[in-house]
Amino acid sequence: MTSFRTLDDADVKGKRVLVRVDLNVPMEDGKVTDLTRLERIVPTLTDIADRGGKVVILAHFGRPKGVDPSQSLKAVVPALADVLKRPVAFAADCIGEVAAQAVDAIRPGEILVLENTRFHKGEEKNEPDFVKALAANGDLFVADAFSAAHRAHASTEGLGRVMPAYAGRTMQAELDALTRALEKPERPVVAVVGGAKVSTKLDLLGNLSKKVDFLVIGGGMANTFLAAEGKAVGKSLCEHDLVDTARAIVAEAAKNGCRIVLPVDVVCAKEFKANASHRVCGIDEVAPEEMILDIGPKSVEHVVSILGRAKTLVWNGPFGAFELEPFDNGTVSVAEAAAELTRAGHLVSVAGGGDTVAALNQAGAADRFTYVSTAGGAFLEWLEGKPLPGVDVLRT
Ligand SMILES: Nc1ncnc2c1ncn2[C@@H]1O[C@H](COP(=O)(O)OP(=O)(O)OP(=O)(O)O)[C@@H](O)[C@H]1O
Ligand SMILES: O=C(O)[C@H](O)COP(=O)(O)O
């Protein structure tokens, strides 16, 4: 069995601990608008600090091409200090003299953020010299950015190869949850895959159909599967060029003993806007001028009954255009049912993906899920069954 060294195995006292976290948080007018990623890293940072380590934070922000003051991590430092309820120092570079002096200047138990690693091209190229320059400021490496672990960058993967490396608390929680959900799940396992387009989730559907017992397809992508069954989907978002691909996914799933679950009724409107005039209809009754914008009540009931018999749920992507009321209804109703089944101890539920997390928050259901991942791309790549370099480098 693969295992990971964790913070419990690390002797951090008096050491300079390079901690890779994800500070890629949403900002508006220089203020952080969602603190979730900052809150998640508190246990790791306080644990190292309280055990007498010097906490030296490495992170990226945005996708700058070289040094770009508008993408400086300095703007995130006040919010991080607020969340930690401790002072946080900042250094204007992540390597060289500036970084070395800042690391020298903090005492054991104190916390320092180094400037955006992506200001140096060696970060994304994972250049050995840049890895070396980062490593010069630390004695050990703690990886706590699962959400950046799909990147083989210097600060996510390179450092793990050149110094003693440990999984931080968030990384550990994420890996535990993901293992419970797909690697060693209690069966039956249900995957809900919604969202806009099949084309963005082909690998994911292929991988999940090998691993889960029920693959519930929702959102715009369900329309392509419905079209593949010969249903008329009117003006709905639908990738007609992918109907053969959809048929191949269904056939492959059947071979693997995985049941594909599609909507049996839908909510249709003629306009893509909030509170557009709408109606519920059977899946064979969509008119040429209509768009499917949500699943209907019978579909909700069907999905909820499947969840009622399941032990594990993995969820990525909403059932409908959840940003527009009342087309959030399907997503909200299924989310509420999943949250209650989880709270009652009947279900292990793991969800991820930017829009998915927004939809679960909107439904007031996120807090009752077993685990909600803050990762976007990394969560998707994990669902696709791809190796995550920032995780693999931690394996013992
Ligand atoms: N029937 C539909 N018609 C049109 N758009 C839809 C429909 N159902 C869902 N969507 C849209 O799909 C989008 C979400 O899909 P997406 O694949 O991005 O989800 P996600 O994987 O959770 O998010 P992310 O890509 O941010 O991680 C939403 O904007 C939603 O409005
Ligand atoms: O926000 C994210 O999903 C991570 O921080 C990764 O960011 P990236 O897609 O720019 O590598």
Side-chain angles (χ1 to χ4, degrees), residues 16-23 38 41-42 44-46 48 54-60 73 76-77 80-81 84 87-91 93-94 99 103 106 110-117 134 137 141-142 155 159:
R16 300 165 305 160
V17 186
L18 291 175
V19 192
R20 179 44 156 111
V21 297
D22 194 343
L23 299 183
L38 304 187
I41 56 176
V42 167
T44 298
L45 302 182
T46 52
I48 298 168
K54 284 188 173 191
V55 182
V56 182
I57 293 179
L58 295 171
H60 74 279
L73 275 175
V76 181
V77 168
L80 181 61
L84 280 165
V88 176
F90 176 75
D93 201 350
C94 62
V103 174
I106 58 164
E110 293 184 342
I111 299 171
L112 166 71
V113 171
L114 301 183
E115 182 57 289
N116 197 340
T117 50
L134 288 174
N137 289 314
F141 174 57
V142 172
S155 68
L159 282 175

Side-chain angles (χ1 to χ4, degrees), residues 22 24 37 60 62-63 118 147 150-151 376-377:
D22 194 343
N24 200 25
R37 281 186 171 169
H60 74 279
R63 293 175 178 172
R118 289 191 183 170
S147 45
H150 55 318
R151 307 294 182 207

Side-chain angles (χ1 to χ4, degrees), residues 5 131 141 153-166 393-394:
R5 270 189 302 268
V131 174
F141 174 57
H153 293 176
S155 68
T156 56
E157 197 269 350
L159 282 175
R161 280 187 287 111
V162 299
M163 45 199 319
Y166 305 85
V393 77
L394 300 174

Side-chain angles (χ1 to χ4, degrees), residues 194-197 200-201 204 218-223 236-237 267 272 291-295 315-324 327 352-358 375-377 380:
K197 291 181 168 184
T200 61
K201 295 191 180 170
L204 183 152
M221 59 198 299
N223 302 336
S236 303
L237 176 64
V267 183
F272 189 82
M291 277 177 281
I292 300 171
L293 292 183
D294 196 8
I295 56 170
W315 187 335
N316 174 259
F319 277 101
F322 76 98
E323 307 93 332
L324 311 174
F327 308 110
D355 281 313
T356 313
V357 176
L380 291 179

Side-chain angles (χ1 to χ4, degrees), residues 73-332:
L73 275 175
K74 195 170 184 188
V76 181
V77 168
L80 181 61
D82 276 356
V83 167
L84 280 165
K85 301 190 184 67
R86 300 179 186 210
V88 176
F90 176 75
D93 201 350
C94 62
I95 55 169
E97 258 319 286
V98 171
Q101 278 177 13
V103 174
D104 276 350
I106 58 164
R107 289 188 305 252
E110 293 184 342
I111 299 171
L112 166 71
V113 171
L114 301 183
E115 182 57 289
N116 197 340
T117 50
R118 289 191 183 170
F119 282 3
H120 295 269
K121 66 175 177 18
E123 164 70 344
E124 289 175 63
K125 294 192 169 144
N126 205 350
E127 275 171 8
D129 283 350
F130 182 67
V131 174
K132 221 161 137 191
L134 288 174
N137 289 314
D139 303 304
L140 50 102
F141 174 57
V142 172
D144 212 26
F146 175 83
S147 45
H150 55 318
R151 307 294 182 207
H153 293 176
S155 68
T156 56
E157 197 269 350
L159 282 175
R161 280 187 287 111
V162 299
M163 45 199 319
Y166 305 85
R169 301 292 179 213
T170 313
M171 177 71 92
Q172 211 182 328
E174 192 100 31
L175 295 175
D176 284 349
L178 300 187
T179 304
R180 273 180 90 187
L182 271 197
E183 312 308 332
K184 290 187 219 141
E186 266 198 82
R187 293 191 175 273
V189 186
V190 179
V192 168
V193 182
K197 291 181 168 184
V198 179
S199 51
T200 61
K201 295 191 180 170
L202 285 175
D203 290 346
L204 183 152
L205 290 167
N207 185 47
L208 287 180
S209 71
K210 289 189 214 117
K211 295 198 164 170
V212 306
D213 303 294
F214 295 89
L215 183 51
V216 179
I217 300 181
M221 59 198 299
N223 302 336
T224 305
F225 283 84
L226 292 168
E229 283 188 353
K231 312 278 186 216
V233 295
K235 289 215 171 79
S236 303
L237 176 64
C238 178
E239 291 166 288
H240 290 282
D241 54 328
L242 287 183
V243 289
D244 285 340
T245 308
R247 285 189 198 113
I249 291 171
V250 173
E252 187 60 28
K255 262 200 253 161
N256 299 328
C258 164
R259 265 188 54 195
I260 300 255
V261 179
L262 291 172
V264 290
D265 64 345
V266 288
V267 183
C268 291
K270 289 181 190 155
E271 290 173 288
F272 189 82
K273 64 170 199 191
N275 300 311
S277 152
H278 57 278
R279 71 180 184 114
V280 173
C281 68
I283 204 61
D284 293 310
E285 297 158 10
V286 180
E289 68 281 10
E290 286 182 319
M291 277 177 281
I292 300 171
L293 292 183
D294 196 8
I295 56 170
K298 287 196 184 119
S299 305
V300 169
E301 209 177 294
H302 186 207
V303 176
V304 171
S305 78
I306 292 170
L307 291 182
R309 286 176 275 136
K311 290 270 187 261
T312 305
L313 165 68
V314 184
W315 187 335
N316 174 259
F319 277 101
F322 76 98
E323 307 93 332
L324 311 174
E325 272 189 48
F327 308 110
D328 57 340
N329 225 332
T331 305
V332 169

